[in-house]
Amino acid sequence: MQVPLIQLQCGKVGHDSAAAKYAAATETGDFSIESEKPYAELWMGTHPSLPSKDVETQRSLLDLVRDNRALLSTEISRKYGEKLPFLFKVLSIRKALSIQAHPNKNLAEQLHAKDPKNYPDDNHKPEMTIAVTPFDGLCGFRPLKEISHFLASVPSLRSLIGEEAAQEYEEDVSGRETSSRAEDTQRNKKSLQSAFAALMTKDKSTIAAAAKDLVASAENDGEKFAGGGGPSNGGKELADLVIRLNGQFEGDVGLFVLFFLNYVKLEVGEAMFLKADDIHAYLSGDIIECMASSDNVVRAGFTPKFQDIPTLTSMLTYSYAPISEQKMNPVDYPYVTLNRTAYSSSSSAILYDPPIEEFSVVKTQLNDEGAKATFEAIDGPSIIICTAGSGKISVGPKNEQVKTGYVFFVGATAECVLESDSESFTTFKAFCELSGKETANGVH
């Protein structure tokens, strides 16, 4: 399957970009990697902005599934309007992506009706991220005690928010930071929203002046920066992060937002899930990303693009928790059979299953030549990308060679077999099945 590639300034450059290397693998003759250009995103799916194409016929996948509803399953086609319910991506990030959130379904409908240019879809966009190389990002609000610590130890942050707003936040959450009582949680969220909005609504000149003080402190204080950091991040780590991000977006409000958000690092194979209305900013790394099919983004920092700060500050969940609560715990995928060679080489099929129905992802790692994984048929569509090694894919009587970067669509109710012809063959399979065997326990 031929998949579209997006060139953005935040992307990794030339052959360093996994998105570019995977796109170039499909032998269509119309794309070659330019060594000085950045390449950020590879899209796989039926989203009308950039639908994938059949390599042989050049018909879009969107047209193919509209013409043959059985490829999706009747149930999925009926519920999701004759298109895939998910959008599968590879992201190669060199420079910080915008501070952003994706609206829930109701808000997406409102924003699309009011401003279709900036909000092209009426769908929500929960998303899951799986690291292909080491990754770092800002994801979700920190525990409240950590935010209080930074308000007390980063003078430029406190001056931006304002002494009155900072004190009000500290007094409101003190002693209730980890309370599980509903009334305390709601009060905490309201206080967090007030403090965060106070930061985000400051004018750019005031932010830029405060950023100079912040960067000077980061350059001079080392491990003592930000009061030595918080429980999650050391002072030197945060100082280096401020200096790095200021080099990309000088004087940006995002330099202060990082004290409100968890700074997370993912190793290869680790994953996290972000609900609609969760704030985040991806900073660097190559990732596999799967999301509900939407291109709606509400931005408010680290970007020259359209920013909608009032919408962002009003829409967020303001959930606060350590990043460990957003990381996922993948499990063995139970509906695959490995042959003897696969078992003896410790091959695996691992399921990443977020708490939504639109998608799940299976990572298959076959560790020897001849290792084979046979996937039971499901009542829904799949997209498979190879990220390392080579092998073959078989669906019914059809067999195809698979190389790194190749992408395949598998229709509903089709058994699929992957077989390695190399020592390491890695694939990711995004799929949707509304009922049946889509999870390890059979229930969504």
Side-chain angles (χ1 to χ4, degrees):
M1 190 166 68
Q2 183 181 352
V3 288
L5 181 70
I6 300 177
Q7 179 187 336
L8 297 172
Q9 288 301 315
C10 57
K12 289 189 175 182
V13 175
H15 291 269
D16 288 338
S17 168
K21 287 187 288 187
Y22 298 158
T26 302
E27 297 165 359
T28 59
D30 59 356
F31 174 69
S32 60
I33 301 173
E34 296 184 39
S35 61
E36 301 301 318
K37 284 189 174 182
Y39 300 94
E41 298 188 19
L42 184 73
W43 287 28
M44 298 167 280
T46 59
H47 192 279
S49 294
L50 287 168
S52 302
K53 293 181 180 179
D54 185 318
V55 171
E56 293 181 3
T57 66
Q58 289 298 294
R59 291 190 68 197
S60 77
L61 182 58
L62 182 58
D63 286 342
L64 291 171
V65 299
R66 281 176 172 171
D67 286 351
N68 186 354
R69 291 187 179 189
L71 291 173
L72 298 180
S73 83
T74 302
E75 186 180 12
I76 289 173
S77 182
R78 184 188 307 116
K79 183 166 185 177
Y80 291 102
E82 301 179 0
K83 59 182 182 292
L84 282 174
F86 60 83
L87 178 58
F88 205 22
K89 293 184 182 180
V90 176
L91 268 60
S92 293
I93 308 157
R94 171 187 57 88
K95 183 179 180 181
L97 302 185
S98 60
I99 295 165
Q100 61 185 258
H102 308 298
N104 61 48
K105 179 68 172 172
N106 289 336
L107 180 58
E109 291 173 351
Q110 295 170 28
L111 293 173
H112 177 67
K114 183 176 69 174
D115 185 3
K117 177 183 177 182
N118 289 303
Y119 301 107
D121 292 295
D122 61 0
N123 196 22
H124 68 166
K125 191 182 175 183
E127 64 187 31
M128 178 171 65
T129 294
I130 306 170
V132 177
T133 63
F135 162 90
D136 69 340
L138 304 172
C139 302
F141 286 99
R142 292 177 181 271
L144 299 181
K145 281 188 177 181
E146 290 191 30
I147 298 172
S148 296
H149 167 79
F150 292 128
L151 284 174
S153 61
V154 182
S156 53
L157 173 65
R158 193 177 188 91
S159 69
L160 265 186
I161 290 174
E163 184 61 31
E164 183 178 345
Q167 283 188 8
E168 184 177 335
Y169 167 83
E170 291 165 339
E171 292 170 3
D172 279 350
V173 305
S174 180
R176 303 181 184 87
E177 296 94 337
T178 58
S179 172
S180 59
R181 295 174 61 203
E183 56 266 39
D184 288 340
T185 300
Q186 285 305 111
R187 180 172 175 175
N188 287 344
K189 287 184 177 182
K190 186 176 180 181
S191 298
L192 177 56
Q193 180 176 6
S194 295
F196 186 68
L199 169 65
M200 298 304 294
T201 52
K202 283 293 185 293
D203 64 86
K204 289 187 177 182
S205 61
T206 303
I207 293 169
K212 290 182 179 179
D213 293 338
L214 180 70
V215 173
S217 179
E219 291 173 339
N220 295 325
D221 294 351
E223 195 58 58
K224 295 180 180 179
F225 177 71
S232 304
N233 310 113
K236 181 66 163 58
E237 181 180 36
L238 290 173
D240 290 345
L241 181 60
V242 166
I243 294 167
R244 170 183 146 201
L245 293 175
N246 189 62
Q248 298 174 7
F249 294 96
E250 185 176 358
D252 193 271
V253 69
L255 303 178
F256 296 95
V257 170
L258 67 86
F259 295 107
F260 278 85
L261 305 187
N262 289 299
Y263 176 51
V264 58
K265 294 181 177 180
L266 298 181
E267 297 302 323
V268 175
E270 287 191 304
M272 62 183 179
F273 174 69
L274 295 166
K275 302 185 297 292
D277 300 336
D278 276 351
I279 188 170
H280 58 283
Y282 296 162
L283 302 180
S284 71
D286 296 295
I287 59 175
I288 293 287
E289 190 178 40
C290 200
M291 63 204 68
S293 187
S294 173
D295 194 28
N296 281 338
V297 183
V298 183
R299 302 179 182 89
F302 288 155
T303 181
K305 296 181 179 179
F306 171 73
Q307 299 187 38
D308 191 348
I309 291 170
T311 296
L312 184 88
T313 55
S314 64
M315 70 181 274
L316 297 175
T317 62
Y318 290 98
S319 297
Y320 48 89
I323 194 60
S324 58
E325 294 190 15
Q326 284 181 310
K327 285 188 176 182
M328 302 186 68
N329 296 308
V331 298
D332 289 336
Y333 183 63
Y335 304 110
V336 62
T337 301
L338 302 179
N339 69 356
R340 181 175 297 180
T341 303
Y343 274 115
S344 64
S345 59
S346 299
S347 299
S348 61
I350 303 296
L351 173 68
Y352 301 85
D353 192 36
I356 57 171
E357 69 178 13
E358 283 95 334
F359 62 84
S360 302
V361 173
V362 175
K363 177 186 179 183
T364 305
Q365 181 71 47
L366 299 177
N367 293 324
D368 199 2
E369 185 175 350
K372 184 186 294 186
T374 301
F375 289 87
E376 294 181 23
I378 61 172
D379 195 22
S382 305
I383 289 181
I384 298 171
I385 181 170
C386 173
T387 59
S390 61
K392 67 179 181 180
I393 183 170
S394 303
V395 177
K398 190 170 185 179
N399 296 288
E400 295 281 354
Q401 180 68 29
V402 182
K403 297 180 182 178
T404 300
Y406 280 21
V407 180
F408 295 88
F409 173 80
V410 180
T413 70
E415 181 183 86
C416 175
V417 181
L418 296 171
E419 183 173 358
S420 177
D421 63 14
S422 58
E423 292 184 356
S424 181
F425 179 41
T426 308
T427 62
F428 288 86
K429 168 186 167 180
F431 67 96
C432 176
E433 186 180 34
L434 298 182
S435 60
K437 299 178 178 179
E438 71 273 19
T439 65
N441 61 8
V443 177
H444 244 301

